[in-house]
Amino acid sequence: QENEIKLLTAEIERLKNFGCLGVSPTLEGLRDENAKLKYRLNFLQKSLQEERSKTAKSMININNCLQEIFGAAIQAAYPDLENPPLVVTPSQQPKFGDYQCNSAMGITQILLKTKEQKVSPREIAEKISKNIPANECIEKVEIAGPGFINVHLRKDFVSKQLSSLLMNGVQPPAVGKRKKVVVDFSSPNIAKEMHVGHLRSTIIGESMCRLFEFAGYDVLRLNHLGDWGTQFGMLIAHLQDKFPDYLTVSPPIGDLQAFYKESKRRFDTEEEFKKRAYQCVVLLQSKNPDFIKAWELICDVSRKEFQKIYNCLDITLIERGESFYHEMMKDIVKEFEDRGFVQVDDGRKIVFVPGFPVPLTIMKSDGGYTYDTSDLAALKHRLCEEKADILIYVVDSGQSVHLQTVFAAGQMIGWYDPKVTRVAHAAFGVVLGEDKKKFKTRSGDTVRLIDLLEEGLKRAMDKLKDKERDKVLTAEELKAAQTSVAFGCIKYADLSHNRLNDYVFSFDKMLDDRGNTAAYLLYAFTRIRAIARLANIDEQMLRKAAREEVLILDHEKEWKLGKCILRFPEILQKILEDLLLHTLCDYLYELATTFTEFYDNCYCVEKDRQSGE
């Protein structure tokens, strides 16, 4: 932007002296051109100003600041080294300072390999330390052990950052150009109930969307519903038999799962029904209005059931199922054919992608399309029409090879360049029961998600009554506490585990108010709010104090809490890069326990025993 401002200013000067254009433009045309340039200049200056003001209010990533400082020190100490290792991490123990730079060991190896120089890491650490440029955040550095550089932060620097945080609120570091992120998550199938397997995609996907939105990205949340395909043939045929007047009277399908099972049983056992089901598919795909109406009715019943779950878990999604991409599929097949990527195998049209043993089937021998075709159509639409800069699929690990093949096919045909556009599969493991086997009901069925949420509500209410909260809360407050605890605990139990691993679902563990659980975090948060309420101090008073007074961090627990709060931007950057949200949960738990230590050691508020004030 700064460069463009310079160029535009120069261009406006040039237009003033229009003779230098080598033509004699009309005065009117010149004025018009000048006005356009001035408008663009104005816009750029304003947006640059906004960006700077946002950056000034943003939290500082201390780790990044230290990396810049040590990067400069290593460059000054070893100017000939190309891409030297830059390793800065928070210290695990206070005796080793606040952060550590552990680059010396890596540089020792590089010097030995490239220059055949044998230099001890400690000697390298000393040379780096001597070249540290003047800065506002480092109090002192010490060299420990074989060559660790222990960094002690300046207290006035930390104090200033905390005061700024209090005045400006929690502003994430600026992301520069506002990138577009498309997240594909939840994605249940029409006419089938959402089960425990959909829980993880729904919770992780929603949380990723919130993360990117908080960081200032433009996020599109997509629900890739299974709302098209051959199963609709048997569902429509069964609908015609069971509710022949469905076109005029809305059919009372109460239990769609039972309806699905009935039609599947008939499809497997009645030959005549099976033939009719196939005819129904053909008529649906040729957009026959009666069949489209039947399809819409079935989709609507499912939608209402899905929405109950999304309301409970506070999930926001835009529905864009497989049917949305149906018209694009023939163009996808043609594009791969035109580029010479298609082979014919037993009447099927297949595409081999280098590095992947199983080909994609983009057209069946009967001329029908497959999941591969719809996934390719969705990928292209998101990249080329939605213009996504980042595309994330929150889908279970079992789909990994399929998705990687689809992504590689998109790359092969030139829809995107991975150096420019990030296309990622945020995979996750399965939900296990407490017996460490796949989570099932006692009868061996898959657990329905709505039953699981209702069980959570019941358990949360039992817990609240055990703690006698029903005696101090109004009926309305008790209901709000019940839903917060139940759904908060279910979400947090999922998010606090590394998504790549399977995780054991246990109501007892997730509702425990000890350890890294939502119940404990809710308790810690409530305690903090209670202190503020008891002290009768509001945010305006705190902001005024932050502007007028210096925050003194004398007590070791104050110092520890202050530094912990300021690590938030580092955590944010890490999870935006690796999409592993349990890191944020670990940080929040550490923050809550660090606050408890502070609260136990430093008086926040005291009551006068006589007056009770």
Side-chain angles (χ1 to χ4, degrees):
Q1 281 181 337
E2 282 175 338
N3 280 344
E4 199 174 341
I5 285 169
K6 280 179 196 163
L7 289 168
L8 285 173
T9 311
E11 183 66 5
I12 288 167
E13 283 305 309
R14 193 166 76 90
L15 281 171
K16 282 179 185 169
N17 178 13
F18 62 84
C20 69
L21 291 172
V23 290
S24 301
T26 65
L27 205 56
E28 211 43 54
L30 260 179
R31 281 187 187 131
D32 194 37
E33 191 60 28
N34 205 7
K36 278 185 201 164
L37 287 169
K38 278 189 173 164
Y39 174 80
R40 176 80 183 137
L41 182 63
N42 245 344
F43 171 78
L44 278 168
Q45 284 171 331
K46 197 173 171 214
S47 75
L48 195 62
Q49 231 170 347
E50 280 170 10
E51 198 60 49
R52 280 181 179 150
S53 125
K54 191 181 172 197
T55 305
K57 290 179 179 178
S58 296
M59 287 182 79
I60 283 177
N61 185 328
I62 294 175
N63 198 318
N64 279 3
C65 292
L66 293 173
Q67 286 193 29
E68 281 175 23
I69 291 164
F70 279 100
I74 293 167
Q75 177 65 32
Y78 297 96
D80 299 341
L81 277 191
E82 268 186 51
N83 298 324
L86 189 54
V87 188
V88 178
T89 56
S91 295
Q92 296 307 307
Q93 294 176 45
K95 65 178 180 184
F96 298 134
D98 305 312
Y99 284 82
Q100 275 185 337
C101 173
N102 305 334
S103 297
M105 293 67 161
I107 292 172
T108 301
Q109 300 297 322
I110 292 171
L111 289 174
L112 192 61
K113 277 181 191 165
T114 60
K115 300 186 186 300
E116 294 183 353
Q117 292 175 10
K118 201 171 180 184
V119 190
S120 78
R122 203 175 167 93
E123 202 180 312
I124 291 168
E126 278 165 3
K127 196 170 178 185
I128 293 168
S129 300
K130 281 177 186 152
N131 282 282
I132 289 173
N135 63 82
E136 60 170 358
C137 52
I138 298 176
E139 176 72 40
K140 61 173 181 177
V141 295
E142 294 164 340
I143 295 161
F148 300 113
I149 304 173
N150 294 341
V151 180
H152 296 260
L153 296 175
R154 285 174 57 164
K155 286 203 170 171
D156 60 346
F157 169 73
V158 171
S159 169
K160 188 177 150 195
Q161 298 310 317
L162 288 167
S163 295
S164 166
L165 171 62
L166 199 49
M167 287 187 283
N168 299 314
V170 182
Q171 303 281 351
V175 293
K177 174 184 167 271
R178 194 158 187 246
K179 290 186 173 177
K180 183 162 189 181
V181 183
V182 175
V183 185
D184 172 327
F185 69 105
S186 193
S187 311
N189 288 317
I190 293 287
K192 290 185 181 177
E193 284 185 291
M194 284 178 80
H195 55 78
V196 74
H198 295 110
L199 184 68
R200 299 205 75 186
S201 175
T202 306
I203 290 171
I204 295 166
E206 171 69 27
S207 300
M208 281 185 188
C209 292
R210 293 184 189 191
L211 164 70
F212 279 98
E213 282 162 353
F214 176 74
Y217 291 82
D218 174 18
V219 178
L220 178 63
R221 305 144 161 266
L222 293 184
N223 197 0
H224 190 74
L225 288 181
D227 67 350
W228 200 251
T230 48
Q231 77 272 26
F232 281 96
M234 65 181 193
L235 289 165
I236 293 168
H238 189 50
L239 181 77
Q240 288 171 333
D241 291 349
K242 203 165 179 184
F243 305 105
D245 55 354
Y246 73 90
L247 289 170
T248 50
V249 181
S250 190
I253 307 173
D255 187 345
L256 198 58
Q257 189 83 347
F259 186 85
Y260 182 87
K261 282 180 180 169
E262 283 168 25
S263 63
K264 181 82 175 84
R265 182 185 51 75
R266 290 186 67 192
F267 185 82
D268 293 339
T269 56
E270 299 174 26
E271 202 51 45
E272 200 50 47
F273 179 81
K274 191 175 191 172
K275 278 182 196 164
R276 227 174 79 238
Y278 280 129
Q279 286 163 359
C280 288
V281 174
V282 174
L283 288 161
L284 174 66
Q285 291 185 342
S286 62
K287 300 286 172 76
N288 178 300
D290 290 357
F291 288 80
I292 289 289
K293 171 88 193 269
W295 171 72
E296 282 170 350
L297 282 169
I298 293 163
C299 289
D300 279 343
V301 177
S302 267
R303 247 181 230 119
K304 283 177 186 139
E305 292 305 309
F306 297 157
Q307 198 53 49
K308 286 179 192 171
I309 286 162
Y310 294 147
N311 290 344
C312 285
L313 296 172
D314 194 16
I315 308 294
T316 310
L317 276 158
I318 288 172
E319 184 188 310
R320 205 174 273 178
E322 288 166 26
S323 61
F324 178 85
Y325 305 101
H326 189 254
E327 294 300 316
M328 306 169 199
M329 294 191 210
K330 61 177 182 298
D331 294 336
I332 293 293
V333 174
K334 186 175 184 308
E335 187 173 348
F336 276 89
E337 281 178 328
D338 290 349
R339 295 287 300 279
F341 291 128
V342 173
Q343 293 179 29
V344 178
D345 173 61
D346 262 359
R348 297 180 309 147
K349 291 182 178 178
I350 60 171
V351 173
F352 276 98
V353 182
F356 294 90
V358 180
L360 295 170
T361 300
I362 59 170
M363 188 179 267
K364 295 187 288 189
S365 53
D366 64 2
Y369 302 118
T370 66
Y371 286 129
D372 294 350
T373 334
S374 66
D375 282 342
L376 284 167
L379 178 70
K380 184 177 185 186
H381 189 267
R382 291 159 185 183
L383 291 166
C384 305
E385 300 298 320
E386 291 296 350
K387 305 267 190 288
D389 298 294
I390 300 169
L391 183 46
I392 301 164
Y393 286 70
V394 186
V395 182
D396 70 272
S397 303
Q399 298 292 318
S400 187
V401 174
H402 165 69
L403 284 174
Q404 294 307 331
T405 313
V406 169
F407 299 164
Q411 210 178 308
M412 174 178 85
I413 204 161
W415 293 340
Y416 77 102
D417 174 358
K419 293 191 187 82
V420 179
T421 308
R422 178 184 181 188
V423 179
H425 173 204
F428 54 84
V430 295
V431 181
L432 304 173
E434 295 194 62
D435 57 359
K436 305 279 170 67
K437 291 178 181 164
K438 228 172 174 185
F439 198 26
K440 301 268 186 192
T441 61
R442 281 186 184 154
S443 61
D445 292 332
T446 306
V447 179
R448 293 167 69 216
L449 198 40
I450 199 78
D451 295 344
L452 191 78
L453 298 180
E454 279 166 8
E455 174 72 8
L457 284 169
K458 183 186 164 299
R459 298 250 195 155
M461 185 56 87
D462 293 346
K463 190 92 175 170
L464 287 162
K465 285 181 175 171
D466 283 351
K467 303 226 174 232
E468 301 189 330
R469 304 316 294 154
D470 53 325
K471 292 179 181 170
V472 290
L473 299 174
T474 65
E476 211 172 279
E477 286 169 338
L478 189 65
K479 181 95 180 77
Q482 179 194 21
T483 53
S484 291
V485 171
F487 302 144
C489 287
I490 289 170
K491 287 183 189 181
Y492 191 82
D494 194 321
L495 297 168
S496 60
H497 289 85
N498 185 329
R499 65 173 162 77
L500 297 168
N501 302 333
D502 297 344
Y503 99 99
V504 175
F505 190 97
S506 161
F507 273 122
D508 292 337
K509 278 185 186 162
M510 63 178 69
L511 289 164
D512 194 343
D513 51 17
R514 295 157 303 177
N516 187 7
T517 64
Y520 173 70
L521 288 190
L522 288 167
Y523 165 72
F525 178 68
T526 309
R527 177 187 251 185
I528 294 166
R529 303 303 292 167
I531 293 166
R533 199 165 53 242
L534 201 61
N536 210 11
I537 291 171
D538 62 23
E539 286 194 28
Q540 274 180 315
M541 292 160 78
L542 284 172
R543 287 206 175 107
K544 186 171 183 287
R547 276 194 303 273
E548 295 170 4
E549 298 168 38
V550 174
L551 186 64
I552 309 291
L553 301 166
D554 274 346
H555 197 285
E556 61 162 326
K557 299 298 180 188
E558 281 182 305
W559 177 238
K560 185 179 177 184
L561 179 58
K563 287 185 300 175
C564 188
I565 290 169
L566 294 181
R567 274 199 17 245
F568 179 58
E570 298 169 29
I571 303 298
L572 201 58
Q573 183 181 329
K574 184 183 182 301
I575 60 178
L576 284 165
E577 285 168 7
D578 64 21
L579 307 175
L580 295 170
L581 300 173
H582 69 278
T583 309
L584 178 60
C585 298
D586 293 345
Y587 167 73
L588 289 174
Y589 179 59
E590 185 190 338
L591 187 61
T593 52
T594 305
F595 174 82
T596 303
E597 280 179 37
F598 159 74
Y599 175 81
D600 291 342
N601 286 275
C602 306
Y603 280 118
C604 297
V605 61
E606 263 187 287
K607 268 191 181 180
D608 185 296
R609 287 186 181 176
Q610 263 75 45
S611 67
E613 284 185 9

